[in-house]
Short mmCIF file of all heavy atoms in Angstrom, two decimals:
data_model
loop_
_atom_site.label_atom_id
_atom_site.label_comp_id
_atom_site.label_asym_id
_atom_site.label_seq_id
_atom_site.Cartn_x
_atom_site.Cartn_y
_atom_site.Cartn_z
N ASP A 336 40.84 -62.74 -72.97
CA ASP A 336 39.44 -62.60 -73.35
C ASP A 336 39.03 -61.18 -72.95
O ASP A 336 39.04 -60.83 -71.77
CB ASP A 336 38.55 -63.61 -72.61
CG ASP A 336 38.80 -65.01 -73.14
OD1 ASP A 336 38.92 -65.15 -74.36
OD2 ASP A 336 38.88 -65.94 -72.31
N MET A 338 36.50 -58.07 -72.44
CA MET A 338 35.07 -57.87 -72.20
C MET A 338 34.85 -56.48 -71.64
O MET A 338 35.79 -55.77 -71.29
CB MET A 338 34.54 -58.91 -71.20
CG MET A 338 35.18 -58.82 -69.84
SD MET A 338 34.91 -60.28 -68.87
CE MET A 338 35.72 -61.48 -69.89
N GLU A 349 31.99 -58.17 -61.29
CA GLU A 349 31.28 -59.03 -62.22
C GLU A 349 32.12 -59.26 -63.47
O GLU A 349 32.18 -60.38 -64.01
CB GLU A 349 29.94 -58.38 -62.61
CG GLU A 349 29.11 -59.24 -63.56
CD GLU A 349 27.78 -58.60 -63.90
OE1 GLU A 349 27.40 -57.63 -63.22
OE2 GLU A 349 27.14 -59.08 -64.85
N GLY A 350 32.79 -58.19 -63.94
CA GLY A 350 33.64 -58.36 -65.11
C GLY A 350 34.81 -59.30 -64.86
O GLY A 350 35.13 -60.15 -65.69
N VAL A 351 35.45 -59.16 -63.68
CA VAL A 351 36.56 -60.06 -63.35
C VAL A 351 36.06 -61.50 -63.23
O VAL A 351 36.72 -62.45 -63.66
CB VAL A 351 37.24 -59.59 -62.06
CG1 VAL A 351 38.31 -60.59 -61.62
CG2 VAL A 351 37.88 -58.22 -62.25
N ALA A 352 34.87 -61.67 -62.63
CA ALA A 352 34.30 -63.01 -62.50
C ALA A 352 34.03 -63.63 -63.86
O ALA A 352 34.27 -64.83 -64.08
CB ALA A 352 33.01 -62.95 -61.68
N ARG A 353 33.54 -62.83 -64.80
CA ARG A 353 33.31 -63.35 -66.14
C ARG A 353 34.63 -63.77 -66.79
O ARG A 353 34.70 -64.80 -67.47
CB ARG A 353 32.63 -62.28 -67.00
CG ARG A 353 31.18 -62.01 -66.63
CD ARG A 353 30.61 -60.91 -67.52
NE ARG A 353 29.25 -60.59 -67.12
CZ ARG A 353 28.17 -61.21 -67.59
NH1 ARG A 353 28.31 -62.18 -68.47
NH2 ARG A 353 26.96 -60.86 -67.19
N ALA A 354 35.69 -62.97 -66.57
CA ALA A 354 37.00 -63.33 -67.12
C ALA A 354 37.49 -64.65 -66.51
O ALA A 354 38.03 -65.52 -67.20
CB ALA A 354 38.00 -62.22 -66.85
N PHE A 355 37.27 -64.81 -65.20
CA PHE A 355 37.70 -66.02 -64.50
C PHE A 355 36.99 -67.25 -65.07
O PHE A 355 37.61 -68.28 -65.32
CB PHE A 355 37.42 -65.87 -63.01
CG PHE A 355 37.74 -67.10 -62.20
CD1 PHE A 355 39.05 -67.46 -61.94
CD2 PHE A 355 36.71 -67.90 -61.71
CE1 PHE A 355 39.33 -68.60 -61.19
CE2 PHE A 355 36.99 -69.03 -60.97
CZ PHE A 355 38.31 -69.39 -60.71
N THR A 356 35.66 -67.11 -65.29
CA THR A 356 34.91 -68.26 -65.82
C THR A 356 35.28 -68.56 -67.26
O THR A 356 35.02 -69.66 -67.76
CB THR A 356 33.39 -68.01 -65.72
OG1 THR A 356 33.07 -66.83 -66.47
CG2 THR A 356 32.96 -67.83 -64.28
N ALA A 357 35.89 -67.57 -67.94
CA ALA A 357 36.34 -67.80 -69.31
C ALA A 357 37.75 -68.35 -69.37
O ALA A 357 38.29 -68.55 -70.45
CB ALA A 357 36.26 -66.49 -70.10
N GLY A 358 38.38 -68.58 -68.20
CA GLY A 358 39.69 -69.21 -68.19
C GLY A 358 40.85 -68.30 -67.84
O GLY A 358 41.99 -68.74 -67.82
N VAL A 359 40.58 -67.03 -67.57
CA VAL A 359 41.66 -66.11 -67.20
C VAL A 359 42.09 -66.37 -65.77
O VAL A 359 41.25 -66.53 -64.88
CB VAL A 359 41.20 -64.65 -67.37
CG1 VAL A 359 42.28 -63.69 -66.91
CG2 VAL A 359 40.83 -64.38 -68.83
N ASP A 360 43.39 -66.39 -65.51
CA ASP A 360 43.92 -66.62 -64.17
C ASP A 360 43.81 -65.32 -63.38
O ASP A 360 44.39 -64.29 -63.77
CB ASP A 360 45.39 -67.06 -64.26
CG ASP A 360 45.92 -67.50 -62.90
OD1 ASP A 360 45.09 -67.76 -62.00
OD2 ASP A 360 47.15 -67.55 -62.74
N VAL A 361 43.07 -65.33 -62.28
CA VAL A 361 42.83 -64.13 -61.48
C VAL A 361 43.44 -64.30 -60.09
O VAL A 361 43.24 -65.34 -59.45
CB VAL A 361 41.31 -63.86 -61.34
CG1 VAL A 361 41.06 -62.68 -60.42
CG2 VAL A 361 40.70 -63.61 -62.72
N TRP A 363 42.83 -63.53 -56.80
CA TRP A 363 41.68 -63.04 -56.02
C TRP A 363 42.10 -62.32 -54.75
O TRP A 363 41.37 -61.48 -54.25
CB TRP A 363 40.75 -64.21 -55.68
CG TRP A 363 40.04 -64.73 -56.90
CD1 TRP A 363 40.29 -65.88 -57.56
CD2 TRP A 363 38.97 -64.09 -57.60
NE1 TRP A 363 39.46 -66.02 -58.64
CE2 TRP A 363 38.62 -64.92 -58.69
CE3 TRP A 363 38.28 -62.90 -57.42
CZ2 TRP A 363 37.62 -64.60 -59.59
CZ3 TRP A 363 37.28 -62.57 -58.31
CH2 TRP A 363 36.96 -63.42 -59.38
N LEU A 374 34.60 -73.36 -55.36
CA LEU A 374 33.33 -73.43 -56.06
C LEU A 374 33.16 -74.81 -56.68
O LEU A 374 34.14 -75.46 -57.04
CB LEU A 374 33.27 -72.37 -57.16
CG LEU A 374 33.23 -70.92 -56.69
CD1 LEU A 374 33.29 -69.99 -57.89
CD2 LEU A 374 31.98 -70.65 -55.88
#
Side-chain angles (χ1 to χ4, degrees):
D336 289 318
M338 63 197 61
E349 182 179 346
V351 174
R353 289 178 183 271
F355 176 74
T356 59
V359 176
D360 188 18
V361 176
W363 290 106
L374 293 175

